[in-house]
Amino acid sequence: MATRCAVNTRSTAPPPPSEPAKAEAQGSLAATCIRALLDRAGLPRHRQSAHIAGLLSLSYHQAHRRMTGIAPWSLEELQTVATHHGETLVDLFGEQKSADYETALLIAGPLRVTCRLWPGQPLSQHRPGDLIAIKGGSEWVVMVAGDTPTPQACTVRRLIIEPKPDRPRRFAILDDDIDVARSLAAGLVELGFEATAFATEAQLDAALQFDSFDAYVIDWVLPNGTAEALVTKLRSQSATCPIALLTGKAGSKEVDEKDLVAAIEQHGLLFLQKPMTASIAASQFSAAFANR
């Protein structure tokens, strides 16, 4: 007798996701939104887990699991992080639907402020005083139009300026010995600051077109002379920004100490002697920031 086998040819719907899979998906979405929020707040990626740990009183391991989407977020935790950075839960998750903004630099006189920009249509012409957006390379700049027409300017559809309470102080370090500049920058980064090293005045000038810094360390002896003109320019942009002159040649024939002292007194500068450790520099700058 032949044996009959019954075959079920009906399609079977895939089983619903398990509860752990649902939790993982929700945790991943929350982690993506939180990471985007911290990016908007200017917090470096390598410091975000530690920031969340401190904010939510978690261990670093627990915070890292949330930031990587492995562990779920509670509603209270999301609310705490959003509120701390001046956003609502609607802002937090709504950014996933409005990610067409650009990070831009708002320039108004000596003021440099990072902002979120929604650029509009290109302008064939504009009037003096109009707020315009310009793209230079990969960077956007928002500024008030002057009397001279600005080519390739766009309208500003929307602009959001957000406070960054946890943003670390940013240093620009200029030394024609790039190894010295990089070493000091690396030491300041280890201490929780942000720092960028420059080897030439031209490099620093180019960066200042689209960026801003909270403090400067400037080598007094540059290839084309002293840093007097550069310091005068920086001080004209900000009367209170801490600026330190750095040199290892004080007392030598290469440095006129009268000029050095005159610059320090005229512009209210700090003085750092090479070789300089980052901890000593940070101590002097911290006092300068407190006295502003």
Side-chain angles (χ1 to χ4, degrees):
M1 177 181 296
T3 303
R4 297 181 178 179
C5 295
V7 179
N8 185 357
T9 60
R10 292 180 298 175
S11 62
T12 304
S18 63
E19 288 303 317
K22 289 181 180 178
E24 182 176 350
Q26 293 168 352
S28 179
L29 173 61
T32 299
C33 294
I34 289 293
R35 193 172 293 281
L37 181 152
L38 298 181
D39 286 344
R40 295 194 296 276
L43 196 67
R45 287 290 179 96
H46 68 276
R47 295 185 56 214
Q48 292 182 0
S49 292
H51 172 72
I52 293 299
L55 190 59
L56 301 179
S57 300
L58 300 172
S59 68
Y60 180 87
H61 178 69
Q62 290 172 322
H64 186 68
R65 284 173 58 83
R66 283 165 172 75
M67 290 300 298
T68 54
I70 297 174
W73 293 75
S74 71
L75 183 61
E76 290 77 12
E77 289 171 342
L78 295 173
Q79 181 70 68
T80 297
V81 177
T83 301
H84 179 79
H85 289 282
E87 296 196 8
T88 66
L89 290 179
V90 173
D91 296 327
L92 178 64
F93 290 98
E95 286 298 332
Q96 299 303 303
K97 298 180 181 179
S98 60
D100 59 335
Y101 71 87
E102 303 283 350
T103 299
L105 184 69
L106 174 63
I107 299 178
L111 182 66
R112 303 288 193 277
V113 181
T114 301
C115 58
R116 281 190 282 165
L117 165 71
W118 283 259
Q121 298 298 317
L123 283 167
S124 57
Q125 60 181 4
H126 56 73
R127 297 170 300 177
D130 286 346
L131 196 62
I132 58 175
I134 308 166
K135 190 172 185 180
S138 60
E139 303 289 335
W140 281 91
V141 173
V142 179
M143 60 192 299
V144 177
D147 296 330
T148 304
T150 304
Q152 300 180 334
C154 296
T155 60
V156 176
R157 288 197 293 120
R158 185 183 178 197
L159 187 70
I160 296 180
I161 301 173
E162 299 169 313
K164 297 179 175 59
D166 288 351
R167 182 179 71 81
R169 303 284 191 180
R170 305 188 66 217
F171 285 78
I173 302 169
L174 171 63
D175 196 302
D176 56 357
D177 186 338
I178 190 60
D179 290 334
V180 171
R182 286 173 176 167
S183 177
L184 181 54
L188 290 170
V189 169
E190 289 182 1
L191 294 173
F193 298 98
E194 292 183 10
T196 304
F198 300 94
T200 67
E201 186 176 344
Q203 291 176 351
L204 178 58
D205 282 337
L208 289 173
Q209 297 298 314
F210 302 103
D211 208 345
S212 62
F213 299 93
D214 300 302
Y216 298 86
V217 178
I218 306 295
D219 190 5
W220 175 244
V221 180
L222 298 174
N224 296 326
T226 70
E228 170 67 28
L230 174 59
V231 169
T232 300
K233 176 182 176 181
L234 294 175
R235 181 55 78 220
S236 69
Q237 295 174 352
S238 173
T240 60
C241 176
I243 303 172
L245 293 182
L246 177 67
T247 185
K249 300 177 181 179
S252 71
K253 295 181 180 179
E254 296 181 60
V255 174
D256 187 326
E257 287 199 12
K258 292 182 179 178
D259 290 343
L260 178 59
V261 171
I264 292 173
E265 293 179 348
Q266 178 182 353
H267 300 294
L269 309 177
L270 303 174
F271 176 72
L272 301 176
Q273 178 81 25
K274 295 181 183 178
M276 170 55 56
T277 65
S279 59
I280 294 177
S283 175
Q284 292 204 30
F285 275 103
S286 295
F289 284 129
N291 292 329
R292 290 173 62 175

